[in-house]
């Protein structure tokens, strides 16, 4: 049986209580909003991309401990990375959420778990035992993906 | 007379359930109520003994099925003290009932330059249908504000209703529990020529509903919050108004005659009931009304006042300043719905921790996002009570909330 300790690891509560990289960035930094319609959580991801590198990333909005902690940890690991590195990390994080989800539902996985070290983010593994909370954990990540796509679309159209 | 909750609980099979060895503490009745055995029996009985399509049978079984459907209509008629059964229309839920009003009465009466008046307390079901129509017809939507205690701020009421055609408001808020002053609003609005609708989805389950005394023109509510099944709701309207309105959905049942050239509509209330109706659900709703009436709506209301008082006192004395409780402070001015936020713990996390002890409360925006914006919160936790709750449920909630506090507020 899943227990609350799997969900609310100390490191998660720490990021929730003292979120890193909270705030806003002024334009020309990119701003992107994400919503979780289920619980009304909202995250705003600000990204400043210079020479294909994520120089700055900030998080606004409000939400539950899982969505806030996940966003906070995301900023720590993403800051300073190139777009392709960021994309690999996003992929690895999504995969972590996915693999456990498939294990729970008994589905086969291809076993190609990536070799990226997710550090503190591993603490979020416990979330997959609470399927409705997966959306909380992935909210900031989906918004970051959307943000990167939007930035690249703007660049393409220049 | 006080009600015997221990006895009442026995009538609700779900409340006997244990999950992971712990009893269920159900405090989410504003979302949907639990159902007594008599409601389930009525529905099952219908399918076991009476199932046939209604209003068209030429045999006894079909006549009996029709009698069940129409018998439930009679029960609703007296439950809300309607003038006649013609005024009681069955819908899928309250949401459909409000869409019916906006699509028929609204479409006929509202055009460019008109205005309607809503309140900041509304559920999306009493907002979005009007916004949909407004984007087509281009009328204005005005909002009655709320004050810091969650009451309607009526200081500019006369101005708001001036020139408006409709006033549509919740008789009880599903978030703050506030009872709005139905009679006062109605008489002032009608004097200025407005038509008045009360969304009684939260009101009718918890207090005596008398549409004639309220003076309103339309009332809507939903069966599943009133111990009845999901899938049935009620639109009540004054007969002359319903008479004057065009039909809503078209098809069987709602017609008198159809030719290649056109159709004529059936009499009330069937004019608004297209297609095969929800007979089993009507049977269930009838049984729910019987159950509530046997106990007595005044007794239920008194029980909820007492329990709400107790809950408010416990929450304030246990959690003090760390908890913000929204809505009226006086339990006489509110129903058994308490919304709150807890410093340092998000509503979603609060529900999660409470769920470990099978304590069911709702977290979120409660389908009232404009109200959340007014309250300046993204979400609240909401506890809601009914006749089958007692102090032990509140005590369980309080100890659950202590666990929340211990986890999140070190
Ligand atoms: C005040 C109010 N109005 C309308 C509704 C809609 O009820 P239903 O979803 O059954 O149509 C609700 C239910 O949440 C409500 O609380």
């Amino acid at each position: 049986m899943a227990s609350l300790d799997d969900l609310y690891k100390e490191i998660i509560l720490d990021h929730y209580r003292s979120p890193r990289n909270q705030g806003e960035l002024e334009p020309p930094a990119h701003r992107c909003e994400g919503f979780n319609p289920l619980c009304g959580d909202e995250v705003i991801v600000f990204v400043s991309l210079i020479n294909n590198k994520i120089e700055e990333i900030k998080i606004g909005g409000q939400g539950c401990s899982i969505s806030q902690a996940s966003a906070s940890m995301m900023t720590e690991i993403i800051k300073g990375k190139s777009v392709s590195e960021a994309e690999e990390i996003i992929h690895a994080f999504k995969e972590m959420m996915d693999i456990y989800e498939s294990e729970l539902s008994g589905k086969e996985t291809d076993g190609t778990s990536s070799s990226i070290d997710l550090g503190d983010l591993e603490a979020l593994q416990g979330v997959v035992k609470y399927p409705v909370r997966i959306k909380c954990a992935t909210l900031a990540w989906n918004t970051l993906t959307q943000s990167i796509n939007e930035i690249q679309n703007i660049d393409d159209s220049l | 007379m006080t009600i015997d909750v221990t006895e009442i609980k026995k009538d609700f099979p779900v409340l006997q359930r244990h999950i992971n060895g712990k009893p269920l503490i159900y405090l989410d009745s504003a979302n949907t109520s639990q159902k007594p055995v008599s409601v389930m029996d009525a529905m099952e009985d219908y399918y076991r003994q009476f199932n046939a399509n209604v209003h068209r049978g030429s045999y006894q079984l079909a006549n009996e099925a029709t009698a069940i459907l129409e018998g439930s209509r009679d029960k609703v008629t007296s439950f809300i003290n309607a003038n006649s059964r013609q005024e009681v229309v069955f819908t899928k839920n309250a949401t459909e009932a409000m869409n019916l009003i906006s699509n028929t009465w609204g479409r006929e009466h509202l055009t460019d330059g008109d205005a309607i008046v809503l309140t900041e307390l509304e559920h999306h079901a009493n907002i979005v249908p009007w916004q949909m129509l407004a984007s087509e017809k281009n009328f204005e939507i005005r909002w009655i504000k709320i004050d810091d205690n969650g009451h309607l701020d009526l200081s500019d009421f006369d101005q708001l209703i001036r020139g408006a055609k409709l006033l549509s408001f919740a008789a009880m808020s599903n978030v703050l529990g506030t009872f709005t002053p139905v009679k006062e609003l109605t008489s002032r609005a009608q004097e200025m020529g407005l038509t008045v609708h009360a969304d009684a989805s939260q009101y009718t389950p918890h207090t005596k509903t008398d549409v004639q005394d309220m003076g309103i023109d339309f009332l809507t509510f939903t069966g599943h919050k009133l111990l009845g099944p999901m899938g049935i709701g009620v639109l009540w309207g004054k007969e002359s108004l319903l008479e004057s309105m065009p039909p809503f959905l078209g098809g069987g049942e709602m017609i008198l005659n159809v030719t290649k050239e056109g159709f004529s509509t059936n009499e009330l209330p069937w004019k608004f009931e297209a297609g095969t109706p929800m007979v089993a659900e009507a049977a269930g709703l009838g049984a729910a009304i019987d159950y509530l009436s046997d106990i007595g709506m005044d007794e239920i209301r008194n029980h909820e006042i007492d329990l709400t008082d107790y809950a408010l006192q416990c929450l304030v004395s246990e959690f003090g300043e760390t908890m913000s409780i929204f809505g009226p402070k006086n339990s006489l001015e509110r129903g058994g719905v308490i919304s709150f936020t807890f410093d340092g713990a998000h509503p979603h996390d609060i529900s999660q921790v409470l769920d470990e002890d099978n304590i069911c409360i709702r977290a979120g925006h409660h389908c009232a996002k404009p109200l959340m914006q007014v309250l300046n919160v993204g979400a609240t936790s909401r506890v809601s009570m009914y006749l089958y709750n007692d102090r032990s449920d509140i005590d369980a909630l309080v100890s659950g909330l202590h666990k929340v506090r211990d986890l999140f507020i070190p």
Side-chain angles (χ1 to χ4, degrees):
Chain A
M1 200 190 103
S3 101
L4 279 183
D5 300 335
D6 297 330
L7 190 61
Y8 297 121
K9 301 239 167 69
E10 195 46 48
I11 180 90
I12 292 178
L13 294 175
D14 178 60
H15 276 270
Y16 175 50
R17 290 183 194 120
S18 356
R20 328 291 198 262
N21 299 303
Q22 217 180 15
E24 300 187 3
L25 294 175
E26 292 298 315
H30 186 78
R31 178 183 194 278
C32 189
E33 275 181 50
F35 289 98
N36 181 349
L38 181 74
C39 53
D41 285 0
E42 177 192 21
V43 62
I44 311 169
V45 176
F46 296 87
V47 170
S48 168
L49 194 69
I50 297 171
N51 295 331
N52 214 30
K53 190 173 149 199
I54 297 173
E55 285 289 340
E56 265 293 356
I57 176 165
K58 294 246 186 229
I59 298 288
Q62 47 81 30
C64 67
S65 61
I66 304 300
S67 74
Q68 298 286 87
S70 182
S72 169
M73 293 182 196
M74 179 184 84
T75 62
E76 286 201 309
I77 194 168
I78 289 293
K79 196 167 156 181
K81 298 289 194 301
S82 70
V83 168
S84 59
E85 285 168 336
E87 283 173 340
E88 269 179 47
I89 295 166
I90 294 172
H91 182 76
F93 180 74
K94 291 279 199 72
E95 204 173 52
M96 176 175 85
M97 291 285 142
D98 259 5
I99 286 176
Y100 282 82
E101 194 174 13
S102 350
E103 269 179 11
L104 279 182
S105 59
K107 269 185 288 179
E108 292 280 323
T109 63
D110 60 6
T112 55
S113 147
S114 74
S115 53
I116 290 182
D117 178 11
L118 288 171
D120 287 356
L121 282 162
E122 304 269 351
L124 283 165
Q125 277 178 6
V127 171
V128 293
K129 295 183 186 160
Y130 295 85
V132 292
R133 304 304 293 273
I134 294 176
K135 279 209 163 60
C136 309
T138 52
L139 178 63
W141 297 80
N142 291 333
T143 313
L144 177 62
T145 304
Q146 192 189 334
S147 185
I148 291 174
N149 290 342
E150 285 177 9
I151 295 172
Q152 287 176 337
N153 283 338
I154 296 168
D155 288 351
D156 285 349
S157 64
L158 287 182
Chain B
M1 206 187 77
T2 53
I3 69 179
D4 185 349
V5 178
T6 315
E7 281 305 306
I8 288 174
K9 273 192 201 244
K10 291 182 189 158
D11 295 332
F12 292 79
V14 167
L15 301 179
Q16 323 296 320
R17 242 194 105 178
H18 284 60
I19 302 175
N20 300 324
K22 296 177 196 166
L24 194 70
I25 310 289
Y26 190 75
L27 291 167
D28 196 21
S29 294
N31 209 345
T32 195
S33 66
Q34 296 303 343
K35 325 299 174 199
V37 171
S38 61
V39 167
M40 296 172 224
D41 284 350
M43 296 178 74
E44 191 180 321
D45 243 30
Y46 166 73
Y47 279 120
R48 282 187 185 278
Q49 298 197 54
F50 303 104
N51 181 50
N53 213 329
V54 292
H55 293 143
R56 35 186 112 157
S58 46
Y59 44 87
Q60 173 155 350
L61 192 69
N63 294 339
E64 288 173 358
T66 305
I68 288 177
L69 175 72
E70 296 305 329
S72 286
R73 197 187 311 277
D74 290 333
K75 288 178 185 176
V76 173
T77 304
S78 63
F79 189 60
I80 63 175
N81 194 28
N83 237 323
S84 73
R85 62 195 320 282
Q86 277 79 1
E87 298 180 335
V88 175
V89 177
F90 287 136
T91 61
K92 181 173 71 172
N93 48 32
T95 303
E96 189 185 70
M98 286 181 251
N99 278 275
L100 192 163
I101 303 175
S102 73
N103 274 286
T104 60
W105 184 90
R107 199 170 284 285
E108 286 260 293
H109 287 85
L110 301 171
T111 57
D112 207 346
D114 282 337
I116 67 165
V117 181
L118 308 178
T119 85
E120 289 181 341
L121 290 175
E122 299 316 309
H123 186 281
H124 295 163
N126 191 26
I127 298 175
V128 181
W130 302 112
Q131 290 175 327
M132 287 166 70
L133 189 62
S135 69
E136 218 179 287
K137 299 278 193 176
N138 217 10
F139 55 84
E140 181 194 355
I141 299 177
R142 301 175 187 163
W143 301 86
I144 302 175
K145 291 193 165 26
I146 56 165
D147 66 21
D148 291 344
N149 289 317
H151 291 293
L152 296 182
D153 171 3
L154 296 179
S155 56
D156 57 352
F157 184 64
D158 289 335
Q159 224 166 309
L160 281 173
I161 59 174
R162 188 165 303 136
K165 291 241 171 97
L166 174 79
L167 169 65
S168 182
F169 62 94
M172 179 184 140
S173 160
N174 67 317
V175 178
L176 304 178
T178 316
F179 281 111
T180 52
V182 179
K183 285 169 82 166
E184 180 193 348
L185 296 175
T186 302
S187 65
R188 283 169 73 180
Q190 284 172 341
E191 263 170 44
M192 302 280 283
L194 282 79
T195 298
V196 178
H197 161 242
D199 170 3
S201 302
Q202 298 291 344
Y203 182 92
T204 299
H206 302 282
T207 189
K208 192 176 257 167
T209 302
D210 181 335
V211 290
Q212 298 189 56
D213 182 55
M214 290 158 112
I216 46 181
D217 300 296
F218 294 115
L219 179 108
T220 52
F221 64 93
T222 197
H224 68 92
K225 296 189 202 277
L226 184 108
L227 309 185
M230 294 179 176
I232 189 163
V234 170
L235 162 70
W236 168 85
K238 281 186 181 152
E239 195 170 336
S240 56
L241 259 177
L242 293 179
E243 245 357 309
S244 73
M245 281 153 49
F248 178 39
L249 303 175
E253 288 282 329
M254 51 75 71
I255 48 89
L256 268 189
N257 190 26
V258 184
T259 63
K260 284 186 186 168
E261 285 69 42
F263 69 94
S264 57
T265 54
N266 202 344
E267 297 162 17
L268 290 176
W270 304 295
K271 171 177 150 182
F272 294 108
E273 294 180 358
T276 299
M278 54 307 254
V279 186
E281 286 71 17
L285 180 63
I289 286 174
D290 286 343
Y291 187 92
L292 291 169
S293 305
D294 282 350
I295 293 171
M297 292 311 294
D298 289 337
E299 279 71 22
I300 292 172
R301 174 69 188 132
N302 284 335
H303 169 68
E304 290 182 21
I305 291 173
D306 181 65
L307 197 56
T308 306
D309 246 346
Y310 180 72
L312 286 170
Q313 274 170 27
C314 290
L315 293 177
V316 170
S317 70
E318 298 282 331
F319 303 107
E321 300 280 285
T322 59
M323 182 179 274
S324 308
I325 299 175
F326 300 98
K329 300 281 173 284
N330 183 339
S331 59
L332 295 175
E333 296 165 354
R334 60 145 78 219
V337 169
I338 302 176
S339 275
F340 62 89
T341 55
F342 213 176
D343 284 354
H346 186 274
H348 211 157
D349 292 313
I350 296 174
S351 301
Q352 186 87 61
V353 176
L354 293 177
D355 185 43
E356 289 295 292
D357 293 324
N358 297 333
I359 302 166
C360 313
I361 72 166
R362 184 157 174 202
H365 52 66
H366 317 295
C367 298
K369 287 200 87 168
L371 177 59
M372 294 293 118
Q373 283 149 25
V374 172
L375 299 175
N376 199 22
V377 293
T380 71
S381 298
R382 183 186 71 184
V383 173
S384 54
M385 298 162 256
Y386 209 176
L387 74 168
Y388 40 64
N389 292 116
D390 59 18
R391 292 183 176 206
S392 71
D393 297 319
I394 302 302
D395 295 340
L397 171 74
V398 167
S399 57
L401 288 172
H402 276 294
K403 287 191 194 170
V404 174
R405 192 170 67 175
D406 293 345
L407 183 61
F408 284 95
I409 306 151

